[in-house]
């Protein structure tokens, strides 16, 4: 039997007070900027579309999809580059600790309907990744080439705007890694990594559901709390947490 965590507003408020995040508007201005969209695919966002998809409509996820689409259209209309990660796995090859998901040919690995237009956009680059961290997933095992670094160097980007799912998993791992990439001087031009709050989301798995499914305690995942912790972790590592993106 798992112990339920109280996920009401008072608990979230206490966590927000203890681990504060202060989102502010982010203005791109005249800096070369690119948009990174993390895993906005059916298997994570479309109701009933696989083992890790939402089981019912979810406001936070719906807002993330809508805002990701809005920003992607705004970037491409200006001729600015967009890169989308698509979580994609070989059938039968596990990614512990998660159940099988987003396997090739299942449709789960495809962009959500709202973003399917990116497949034909000349400003969009799509990278299929088979692990949580998009930076690692961009590395070709045989050659060692990193498609993400090639994209960044090609466009000489000074600013990255990041959106996607899950705030505290794939988005966070990517952003934290990119902050080290920047600080290590691997991309000379890169200065800002801005995470747009309304463009990010995560999933909800209450303690009661985890218990019913006989999952371990570590599977418990209250959406609002996990989302906040993801934002806090990225902020404390040096990411700009953006309440709005001004182009």
């Amino acid at each position: 039997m798992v112990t339920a965590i109280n996920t009401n507003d008072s608990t979230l408020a206490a966590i927000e007070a203890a681990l504060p995040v202060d989102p502010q508007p982010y203005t791109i201005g005249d800096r070369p900027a690119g948009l990174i969209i993390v895993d906005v695919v059916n298997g994570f966002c479309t109701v009933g579309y696989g083992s890790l998809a939402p089981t019912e409509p979810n406001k936070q996820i719906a807002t993330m999809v809508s805002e990701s689409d809005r920003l992607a259209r705004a970037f491409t209309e200006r001729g600015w580059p967009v890169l989308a990660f698509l979580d994609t796995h070989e059938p039968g090859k596990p990614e512990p600790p998660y159940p099988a998901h987003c396997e090739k040919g299942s449709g789960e690995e495809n962009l959500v309907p709202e973003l399917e237009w990116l497949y034909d956009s000349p400003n969009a680059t799509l990278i299929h990744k088979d692990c949580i961290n998009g930076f690692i997933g961009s590395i070709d095992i045989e050659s060692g080439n990193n498609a993400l670094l090639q994209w960044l160097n090609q466009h000489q980007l000074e600013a990255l705007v990041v959106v996607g799912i899950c705030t505290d998993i794939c988005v966070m791992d990517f952003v934290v890694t990119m902050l080290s990439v920047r600080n290590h001087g691997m991309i000379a031009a890169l200065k800002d990594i801005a995470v747009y709050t309304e463009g990010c989301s995560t999933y909800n798995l209450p303690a009661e559901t985890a218990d019913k499914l006989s999952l371990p305690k570590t599977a418990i995942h209250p959406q609002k709390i996990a989302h906040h912790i993801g934002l806090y972790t990225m902020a404390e590592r040096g990411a700009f947490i953006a309440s709005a993106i001004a182009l």
Side-chain angles (χ1 to χ4, degrees), residues 44-201:
F44 296 148
C45 305
T46 302
V47 173
Y49 219 125
S51 61
L52 297 184
T55 58
E56 59 185 13
N58 183 279
K59 181 179 179 181
Q60 189 187 82
I61 293 175
T63 298
M64 176 274 298
V65 170
S66 176
E67 287 298 287
S68 296
D69 177 55
R70 182 183 66 81
L71 275 181
R73 292 183 185 277
F75 269 67
T76 57
E77 286 170 2
R78 290 164 173 78
W80 296 355
V82 174
L83 185 146
F85 288 116
L86 288 75
D87 199 64
T88 307
H89 299 275
E90 292 292 339
K93 183 180 179 181
E95 185 190 22
Y98 304 103
H101 63 281
C102 297
E103 292 186 336
K104 285 183 180 179
S106 67
E108 296 176 28
E109 79 282 21
N110 294 336
L111 290 168
V112 296
E114 293 88 338
L115 291 177
E116 287 180 345
W117 61 271
L118 285 174
Y119 287 118
D120 299 316
S121 172
N123 295 104
T125 297
L126 308 182
I127 295 180
H128 296 268
K129 66 180 183 67
D130 62 357
C131 60
I132 290 173
N133 192 318
F135 182 88
I136 300 299
S138 298
I139 299 172
D140 180 84
I141 296 296
E142 295 184 0
S143 68
N145 291 331
N146 188 307
L148 171 67
L149 290 180
Q150 292 173 348
W151 178 80
L152 288 164
N153 283 317
Q154 174 189 347
H155 296 288
Q156 289 295 295
L157 299 177
E158 294 183 16
L160 289 180
V161 175
V162 183
V163 296
I165 190 169
C166 292
T167 316
D168 56 314
I169 305 175
C170 293
V171 173
M172 185 182 75
D173 274 25
F174 171 74
V175 168
V176 169
T177 299
M178 288 307 300
L179 291 166
S180 289
V181 167
R182 178 197 65 185
N183 294 345
H184 193 52
M186 295 177 69
I187 303 294
L190 185 60
K191 294 180 174 61
D192 293 347
I193 300 175
V195 180
Y196 176 39
T197 57
E198 295 301 297
C200 293
S201 65

